[in-house]
Amino acid sequence: MNKPIRIALTKGRLEKDTIGLFEKLGFDCTAVHEKGRKLILPIPDANAEVVLAKANDVITYVEHGVCDMGVVGKDTIMEMKGKFFELVDLGFGKCKFALATKKGYNFYSGYGIKTIATKYPNVARSFFEKKGMDTEIIKIEGSVELAPLLGLADGIVDIVETGTTLKENGLEVIEDVAPISARLIVNTVSLKMRQIEIEKLIKLIEENL
Ligand code: PRP
């Protein structure tokens, strides 16, 4: 038996959805359900092991080849880029990147440079560059919605799922930036070295989406 295929999973909701998918494929995921504080868990039926990690780290591990595959949101992929294959849109973890402002604020009026607060500066920069619009981008770590309320920014580029956070804080989407969902990514060398196993797993996943 080859060494297990290592799959990095984004902790939290994507982890749960991915384990749900693996169970649909018939894999016993008991070790993941009973993980306690363990971070590497075997899925023996698939000759795989899952590594639980933060989204940015999923990309780092796959890019460096210490994990063969990964499940991560398109949001993180768009922000971090990196060298790996993005092979499957898993269809879950759906939300979007959007530009939002205080309700009723006319964002595109006037000639002054607009200030944008975001956790995703690369995504925001490239969105406004495509429009040929000069902006000041301010990186925020926590609740970005605070920035326009505090007067720090004219708008935010952030993830919108249900829209509740915006609504409850008097903000509204004025433009969609990009759709987001979970993606299966694969290390470039792993795909060559373990092509048969990886392609078999991907085929099984695609047939069960
Ligand atoms: C995201 C995002 C919004 C919220 C949107 O934050 O930054 O604040 O979800 O969701 P909604 O449209 O359903 O209200 P998240 O909850 O992931 O927490 P974070 O701030 O730690 O990223």
Side-chain angles (χ1 to χ4, degrees), residues 144-196:
V144 179
E145 293 85 356
L146 276 172
L149 302 179
L150 297 176
L152 178 68
D154 298 295
I156 60 173
V157 168
D158 197 22
I159 290 172
V160 178
E161 191 181 350
T162 61
T164 311
T165 313
L166 292 180
K167 199 162 170 237
E168 290 193 1
N169 290 288
L171 305 171
E172 65 182 353
V173 169
I174 56 163
E175 208 170 325
D176 287 355
V177 174
I180 295 170
S181 57
R183 306 297 160 105
L184 185 70
I185 61 172
V186 181
N187 173 264
T188 50
V189 177
S190 296
L191 189 63
K192 281 197 197 96
M193 304 298 285
R194 309 194 67 172
Q195 192 178 2
I196 293 173

Short mmCIF file of all heavy atoms in Angstrom, two decimals, residues 144-196:
data_model
loop_
_atom_site.label_atom_id
_atom_site.label_comp_id
_atom_site.label_asym_id
_atom_site.label_seq_id
_atom_site.Cartn_x
_atom_site.Cartn_y
_atom_site.Cartn_z
N VAL A 144 -14.96 43.77 9.08
CA VAL A 144 -14.71 44.85 8.12
C VAL A 144 -15.88 45.83 8.07
O VAL A 144 -15.71 47.01 7.76
CB VAL A 144 -14.46 44.23 6.73
CG1 VAL A 144 -14.22 45.29 5.69
CG2 VAL A 144 -13.27 43.30 6.79
N GLU A 145 -17.07 45.32 8.40
CA GLU A 145 -18.29 46.14 8.35
C GLU A 145 -18.16 47.39 9.22
O GLU A 145 -18.86 48.38 9.01
CB GLU A 145 -19.50 45.33 8.82
CG GLU A 145 -19.88 44.18 7.90
CD GLU A 145 -19.10 42.90 8.16
OE1 GLU A 145 -18.20 42.90 9.02
OE2 GLU A 145 -19.38 41.89 7.49
N LEU A 146 -17.28 47.33 10.23
CA LEU A 146 -17.11 48.48 11.13
C LEU A 146 -16.52 49.69 10.41
O LEU A 146 -16.82 50.84 10.77
CB LEU A 146 -16.17 48.10 12.28
CG LEU A 146 -16.77 47.39 13.49
CD1 LEU A 146 -15.67 46.92 14.42
CD2 LEU A 146 -17.73 48.34 14.22
N ALA A 147 -15.67 49.43 9.40
CA ALA A 147 -14.88 50.52 8.80
C ALA A 147 -15.75 51.66 8.25
O ALA A 147 -15.50 52.83 8.58
CB ALA A 147 -13.94 49.98 7.75
N PRO A 148 -16.78 51.38 7.42
CA PRO A 148 -17.61 52.51 6.96
C PRO A 148 -18.42 53.14 8.09
O PRO A 148 -18.68 54.34 8.08
CB PRO A 148 -18.53 51.89 5.90
CG PRO A 148 -18.33 50.44 5.95
CD PRO A 148 -17.14 50.12 6.77
N LEU A 149 -18.79 52.32 9.09
CA LEU A 149 -19.59 52.85 10.21
C LEU A 149 -18.75 53.81 11.05
O LEU A 149 -19.26 54.80 11.58
CB LEU A 149 -20.11 51.71 11.08
CG LEU A 149 -20.99 50.67 10.38
CD1 LEU A 149 -21.43 49.59 11.36
CD2 LEU A 149 -22.21 51.34 9.74
N LEU A 150 -17.46 53.51 11.17
CA LEU A 150 -16.57 54.36 11.97
C LEU A 150 -16.03 55.54 11.17
O LEU A 150 -15.33 56.39 11.71
CB LEU A 150 -15.39 53.54 12.50
CG LEU A 150 -15.74 52.38 13.46
CD1 LEU A 150 -14.49 51.60 13.83
CD2 LEU A 150 -16.41 52.92 14.72
N GLY A 151 -16.31 55.54 9.86
CA GLY A 151 -15.80 56.64 9.02
C GLY A 151 -14.39 56.40 8.50
O GLY A 151 -13.73 57.30 8.01
N LEU A 152 -13.91 55.15 8.60
CA LEU A 152 -12.56 54.84 8.11
C LEU A 152 -12.55 54.63 6.60
O LEU A 152 -11.54 54.92 5.94
CB LEU A 152 -12.04 53.57 8.81
CG LEU A 152 -10.67 53.08 8.38
CD1 LEU A 152 -9.57 54.05 8.81
CD2 LEU A 152 -10.37 51.69 8.95
N ALA A 153 -13.65 54.10 6.06
CA ALA A 153 -13.65 53.75 4.64
C ALA A 153 -14.97 54.15 3.98
O ALA A 153 -16.01 54.23 4.63
CB ALA A 153 -13.43 52.25 4.48
N ASP A 154 -14.89 54.37 2.65
CA ASP A 154 -16.11 54.66 1.88
C ASP A 154 -16.88 53.37 1.59
O ASP A 154 -18.09 53.39 1.40
CB ASP A 154 -15.74 55.31 0.54
CG ASP A 154 -15.04 56.63 0.75
OD1 ASP A 154 -15.68 57.55 1.27
OD2 ASP A 154 -13.84 56.73 0.42
N GLY A 155 -16.13 52.28 1.50
CA GLY A 155 -16.78 51.01 1.18
C GLY A 155 -15.94 49.85 1.67
O GLY A 155 -14.82 50.03 2.15
N ILE A 156 -16.52 48.65 1.56
CA ILE A 156 -15.78 47.44 1.93
C ILE A 156 -15.90 46.43 0.80
O ILE A 156 -16.89 46.42 0.07
CB ILE A 156 -16.31 46.79 3.24
CG1 ILE A 156 -17.79 46.38 3.11
CG2 ILE A 156 -16.14 47.74 4.41
CD1 ILE A 156 -18.32 45.58 4.30
N VAL A 157 -14.84 45.62 0.66
CA VAL A 157 -14.95 44.43 -0.20
C VAL A 157 -14.86 43.26 0.75
O VAL A 157 -13.85 43.08 1.44
CB VAL A 157 -13.83 44.40 -1.27
CG1 VAL A 157 -13.78 43.03 -1.94
CG2 VAL A 157 -14.07 45.48 -2.31
N ASP A 158 -15.95 42.50 0.83
CA ASP A 158 -15.99 41.42 1.83
C ASP A 158 -16.86 40.27 1.33
O ASP A 158 -17.52 40.38 0.30
CB ASP A 158 -16.54 41.97 3.16
CG ASP A 158 -16.24 41.05 4.33
OD1 ASP A 158 -15.29 40.24 4.25
OD2 ASP A 158 -16.96 41.13 5.36
N ILE A 159 -16.84 39.20 2.13
CA ILE A 159 -17.67 38.04 1.83
C ILE A 159 -19.10 38.31 2.29
O ILE A 159 -19.31 38.78 3.41
CB ILE A 159 -17.11 36.80 2.56
CG1 ILE A 159 -15.80 36.39 1.91
CG2 ILE A 159 -18.11 35.67 2.55
CD1 ILE A 159 -15.06 35.33 2.65
N VAL A 160 -20.04 38.04 1.41
CA VAL A 160 -21.46 38.13 1.78
C VAL A 160 -22.06 36.75 1.57
O VAL A 160 -21.92 36.16 0.49
CB VAL A 160 -22.20 39.17 0.91
CG1 VAL A 160 -23.68 39.20 1.27
CG2 VAL A 160 -21.57 40.55 1.07
N GLU A 161 -22.69 36.24 2.63
CA GLU A 161 -23.32 34.93 2.48
C GLU A 161 -24.85 35.11 2.51
O GLU A 161 -25.51 35.09 1.49
CB GLU A 161 -22.83 33.99 3.58
CG GLU A 161 -23.23 32.55 3.32
CD GLU A 161 -22.77 31.62 4.42
OE1 GLU A 161 -21.97 32.02 5.28
OE2 GLU A 161 -23.24 30.46 4.41
N THR A 162 -25.39 35.39 3.68
CA THR A 162 -26.84 35.60 3.77
C THR A 162 -27.19 37.09 3.61
O THR A 162 -28.34 37.42 3.35
CB THR A 162 -27.37 35.14 5.14
OG1 THR A 162 -26.71 35.93 6.14
CG2 THR A 162 -27.07 33.67 5.38
N GLY A 163 -26.22 37.96 3.83
CA GLY A 163 -26.47 39.40 3.78
C GLY A 163 -26.91 39.97 5.13
O GLY A 163 -27.11 41.18 5.26
N THR A 164 -27.02 39.10 6.13
CA THR A 164 -27.53 39.54 7.44
C THR A 164 -26.60 40.55 8.11
O THR A 164 -27.07 41.55 8.67
CB THR A 164 -27.70 38.31 8.38
OG1 THR A 164 -28.41 37.31 7.66
CG2 THR A 164 -28.45 38.67 9.63
N THR A 165 -25.30 40.28 8.06
CA THR A 165 -24.35 41.19 8.73
C THR A 165 -24.45 42.59 8.15
O THR A 165 -24.47 43.58 8.90
CB THR A 165 -22.90 40.66 8.61
OG1 THR A 165 -22.89 39.28 8.94
CG2 THR A 165 -21.95 41.41 9.52
N LEU A 166 -24.53 42.68 6.82
CA LEU A 166 -24.66 43.99 6.18
C LEU A 166 -25.95 44.66 6.63
O LEU A 166 -25.95 45.81 7.09
CB LEU A 166 -24.67 43.84 4.66
CG LEU A 166 -23.35 43.39 4.00
CD1 LEU A 166 -23.53 43.29 2.49
CD2 LEU A 166 -22.21 44.36 4.32
N LYS A 167 -27.04 43.91 6.52
CA LYS A 167 -28.36 44.46 6.82
C LYS A 167 -28.43 44.99 8.25
O LYS A 167 -28.91 46.10 8.50
CB LYS A 167 -29.40 43.36 6.60
CG LYS A 167 -30.79 43.86 6.43
CD LYS A 167 -31.70 42.80 5.78
CE LYS A 167 -33.13 43.28 5.86
NZ LYS A 167 -34.00 42.36 6.53
N GLU A 168 -27.93 44.18 9.19
CA GLU A 168 -28.04 44.57 10.60
C GLU A 168 -27.15 45.76 10.95
O GLU A 168 -27.22 46.29 12.05
CB GLU A 168 -27.72 43.36 11.50
CG GLU A 168 -28.81 42.31 11.43
CD GLU A 168 -28.72 41.26 12.51
OE1 GLU A 168 -27.81 41.33 13.36
OE2 GLU A 168 -29.58 40.36 12.49
N ASN A 169 -26.25 46.12 10.02
CA ASN A 169 -25.36 47.24 10.29
C ASN A 169 -25.58 48.41 9.33
O ASN A 169 -24.70 49.27 9.18
CB ASN A 169 -23.91 46.76 10.27
CG ASN A 169 -23.60 45.88 11.47
OD1 ASN A 169 -23.51 46.37 12.59
ND2 ASN A 169 -23.51 44.58 11.25
N GLY A 170 -26.73 48.40 8.67
CA GLY A 170 -27.09 49.54 7.80
C GLY A 170 -26.24 49.66 6.56
O GLY A 170 -26.05 50.75 6.02
N LEU A 171 -25.73 48.53 6.08
CA LEU A 171 -24.91 48.55 4.86
C LEU A 171 -25.66 47.81 3.75
O LEU A 171 -26.57 47.04 4.02
CB LEU A 171 -23.55 47.88 5.12
CG LEU A 171 -22.73 48.43 6.29
CD1 LEU A 171 -21.53 47.54 6.57
CD2 LEU A 171 -22.24 49.84 6.00
N GLU A 172 -25.21 48.03 2.50
CA GLU A 172 -25.84 47.29 1.39
C GLU A 172 -24.81 47.01 0.29
O GLU A 172 -23.84 47.76 0.12
CB GLU A 172 -27.02 48.09 0.81
CG GLU A 172 -26.59 49.39 0.16
CD GLU A 172 -27.77 50.21 -0.36
OE1 GLU A 172 -28.90 49.73 -0.34
OE2 GLU A 172 -27.52 51.37 -0.78
N VAL A 173 -25.07 45.93 -0.43
CA VAL A 173 -24.20 45.58 -1.57
C VAL A 173 -24.50 46.56 -2.70
O VAL A 173 -25.65 46.79 -3.03
CB VAL A 173 -24.50 44.14 -2.06
CG1 VAL A 173 -23.80 43.87 -3.40
CG2 VAL A 173 -24.05 43.12 -1.02
N ILE A 174 -23.42 47.13 -3.27
CA ILE A 174 -23.69 47.96 -4.46
C ILE A 174 -23.16 47.28 -5.73
O ILE A 174 -23.54 47.64 -6.82
CB ILE A 174 -23.15 49.40 -4.33
CG1 ILE A 174 -21.65 49.42 -4.03
CG2 ILE A 174 -23.93 50.17 -3.28
CD1 ILE A 174 -21.06 50.79 -4.32
N GLU A 175 -22.30 46.28 -5.56
CA GLU A 175 -21.82 45.55 -6.74
C GLU A 175 -21.26 44.20 -6.32
O GLU A 175 -20.53 44.11 -5.32
CB GLU A 175 -20.71 46.38 -7.40
CG GLU A 175 -20.61 46.14 -8.88
CD GLU A 175 -19.67 47.16 -9.55
OE1 GLU A 175 -19.62 48.34 -9.11
OE2 GLU A 175 -18.98 46.75 -10.48
N ASP A 176 -21.57 43.16 -7.09
CA ASP A 176 -20.95 41.86 -6.85
C ASP A 176 -19.54 41.87 -7.43
O ASP A 176 -19.32 42.43 -8.51
CB ASP A 176 -21.77 40.74 -7.51
CG ASP A 176 -23.07 40.48 -6.75
OD1 ASP A 176 -23.27 41.10 -5.68
OD2 ASP A 176 -23.88 39.67 -7.23
N VAL A 177 -18.60 41.26 -6.73
CA VAL A 177 -17.21 41.20 -7.21
C VAL A 177 -16.92 39.84 -7.83
O VAL A 177 -16.40 39.76 -8.95
CB VAL A 177 -16.22 41.50 -6.06
CG1 VAL A 177 -14.77 41.31 -6.49
CG2 VAL A 177 -16.44 42.91 -5.52
N ALA A 178 -17.27 38.76 -7.15
CA ALA A 178 -17.01 37.41 -7.69
C ALA A 178 -17.76 36.37 -6.87
O ALA A 178 -17.89 36.52 -5.65
CB ALA A 178 -15.52 37.10 -7.67
N PRO A 179 -18.24 35.31 -7.53
CA PRO A 179 -18.86 34.22 -6.77
C PRO A 179 -17.78 33.37 -6.09
O PRO A 179 -16.64 33.31 -6.57
CB PRO A 179 -19.58 33.39 -7.84
CG PRO A 179 -18.91 33.73 -9.12
CD PRO A 179 -18.25 35.06 -8.98
N ILE A 180 -18.15 32.76 -4.96
CA ILE A 180 -17.19 31.96 -4.18
C ILE A 180 -17.82 30.60 -3.89
O ILE A 180 -19.01 30.50 -3.64
CB ILE A 180 -16.87 32.67 -2.84
CG1 ILE A 180 -16.16 34.00 -3.08
CG2 ILE A 180 -16.03 31.78 -1.92
CD1 ILE A 180 -16.04 34.86 -1.82
N SER A 181 -16.99 29.56 -3.93
CA SER A 181 -17.41 28.24 -3.44
C SER A 181 -16.14 27.46 -3.12
O SER A 181 -15.03 27.93 -3.42
CB SER A 181 -18.25 27.51 -4.49
OG SER A 181 -17.53 27.40 -5.68
N ALA A 182 -16.30 26.30 -2.51
CA ALA A 182 -15.12 25.50 -2.13
C ALA A 182 -14.50 24.85 -3.37
O ALA A 182 -15.22 24.41 -4.26
CB ALA A 182 -15.54 24.43 -1.14
N ARG A 183 -13.20 24.81 -3.41
CA ARG A 183 -12.49 24.21 -4.55
C ARG A 183 -11.55 23.11 -4.06
O ARG A 183 -10.99 23.20 -2.95
CB ARG A 183 -11.65 25.26 -5.29
CG ARG A 183 -12.43 26.48 -5.74
CD ARG A 183 -13.52 26.10 -6.74
NE ARG A 183 -14.56 27.13 -6.80
CZ ARG A 183 -14.68 28.00 -7.78
NH1 ARG A 183 -13.82 28.00 -8.77
NH2 ARG A 183 -15.65 28.89 -7.76
N LEU A 184 -11.37 22.11 -4.91
CA LEU A 184 -10.39 21.07 -4.64
C LEU A 184 -9.11 21.45 -5.38
O LEU A 184 -9.14 21.64 -6.60
CB LEU A 184 -10.92 19.72 -5.15
CG LEU A 184 -10.05 18.51 -4.83
CD1 LEU A 184 -10.09 18.21 -3.34
CD2 LEU A 184 -10.55 17.30 -5.60
N ILE A 185 -8.03 21.59 -4.62
CA ILE A 185 -6.76 21.96 -5.25
C ILE A 185 -5.77 20.79 -5.09
O ILE A 185 -5.89 19.99 -4.16
CB ILE A 185 -6.17 23.27 -4.68
CG1 ILE A 185 -5.88 23.14 -3.17
CG2 ILE A 185 -7.12 24.43 -4.95
CD1 ILE A 185 -5.12 24.35 -2.60
N VAL A 186 -4.82 20.70 -6.02
CA VAL A 186 -3.88 19.57 -6.02
C VAL A 186 -2.47 20.10 -6.27
O VAL A 186 -2.27 20.96 -7.14
CB VAL A 186 -4.26 18.53 -7.10
CG1 VAL A 186 -3.30 17.35 -7.08
CG2 VAL A 186 -5.70 18.04 -6.90
N ASN A 187 -1.52 19.55 -5.53
CA ASN A 187 -0.12 19.90 -5.73
C ASN A 187 0.31 19.43 -7.12
O ASN A 187 -0.04 18.33 -7.55
CB ASN A 187 0.73 19.25 -4.63
CG ASN A 187 2.22 19.42 -4.87
OD1 ASN A 187 2.85 18.53 -5.43
ND2 ASN A 187 2.76 20.55 -4.49
N THR A 188 1.10 20.25 -7.81
CA THR A 188 1.45 19.95 -9.20
C THR A 188 2.29 18.66 -9.32
O THR A 188 2.09 17.87 -10.23
CB THR A 188 2.24 21.12 -9.83
OG1 THR A 188 3.31 21.47 -8.95
CG2 THR A 188 1.36 22.34 -10.03
N VAL A 189 3.21 18.45 -8.38
CA VAL A 189 4.06 17.25 -8.44
C VAL A 189 3.24 16.01 -8.05
O VAL A 189 3.34 14.96 -8.69
CB VAL A 189 5.30 17.40 -7.53
CG1 VAL A 189 6.14 16.12 -7.54
CG2 VAL A 189 6.13 18.59 -7.97
N SER A 190 2.41 16.14 -7.01
CA SER A 190 1.57 15.01 -6.58
C SER A 190 0.70 14.51 -7.73
O SER A 190 0.51 13.31 -7.89
CB SER A 190 0.65 15.42 -5.43
OG SER A 190 1.39 15.77 -4.30
N LEU A 191 0.18 15.46 -8.52
CA LEU A 191 -0.71 15.04 -9.61
C LEU A 191 0.05 14.17 -10.62
O LEU A 191 -0.50 13.24 -11.18
CB LEU A 191 -1.35 16.24 -10.31
CG LEU A 191 -2.45 15.89 -11.30
CD1 LEU A 191 -3.63 15.22 -10.60
CD2 LEU A 191 -2.95 17.10 -12.06
N LYS A 192 1.34 14.47 -10.80
CA LYS A 192 2.15 13.66 -11.72
C LYS A 192 2.52 12.33 -11.07
O LYS A 192 2.40 11.27 -11.66
CB LYS A 192 3.44 14.41 -12.08
CG LYS A 192 3.23 15.47 -13.12
CD LYS A 192 4.57 15.88 -13.74
CE LYS A 192 4.41 17.22 -14.46
NZ LYS A 192 4.83 18.37 -13.62
N MET A 193 2.98 12.39 -9.81
CA MET A 193 3.53 11.20 -9.14
C MET A 193 2.46 10.21 -8.72
O MET A 193 2.70 9.02 -8.66
CB MET A 193 4.33 11.62 -7.89
CG MET A 193 5.45 12.61 -8.14
SD MET A 193 6.69 11.96 -9.25
CE MET A 193 7.55 10.83 -8.17
N ARG A 194 1.26 10.73 -8.40
CA ARG A 194 0.20 9.86 -7.88
C ARG A 194 -1.07 10.01 -8.71
O ARG A 194 -2.19 10.02 -8.19
CB ARG A 194 -0.05 10.20 -6.40
CG ARG A 194 1.25 10.20 -5.61
CD ARG A 194 1.03 10.21 -4.14
NE ARG A 194 0.43 8.98 -3.68
CZ ARG A 194 0.27 8.68 -2.39
NH1 ARG A 194 0.68 9.53 -1.47
NH2 ARG A 194 -0.28 7.55 -2.01
N GLN A 195 -0.82 10.16 -10.02
CA GLN A 195 -1.90 10.50 -10.95
C GLN A 195 -3.09 9.55 -10.87
O GLN A 195 -4.24 9.99 -10.78
CB GLN A 195 -1.35 10.52 -12.37
CG GLN A 195 -2.32 11.14 -13.35
CD GLN A 195 -1.73 11.21 -14.75
OE1 GLN A 195 -0.61 10.75 -14.99
NE2 GLN A 195 -2.47 11.77 -15.67
N ILE A 196 -2.82 8.24 -10.87
CA ILE A 196 -3.92 7.27 -10.94
C ILE A 196 -4.81 7.38 -9.70
O ILE A 196 -6.03 7.50 -9.80
CB ILE A 196 -3.36 5.84 -11.12
CG1 ILE A 196 -2.72 5.75 -12.51
CG2 ILE A 196 -4.47 4.79 -10.96
CD1 ILE A 196 -1.97 4.48 -12.79
#
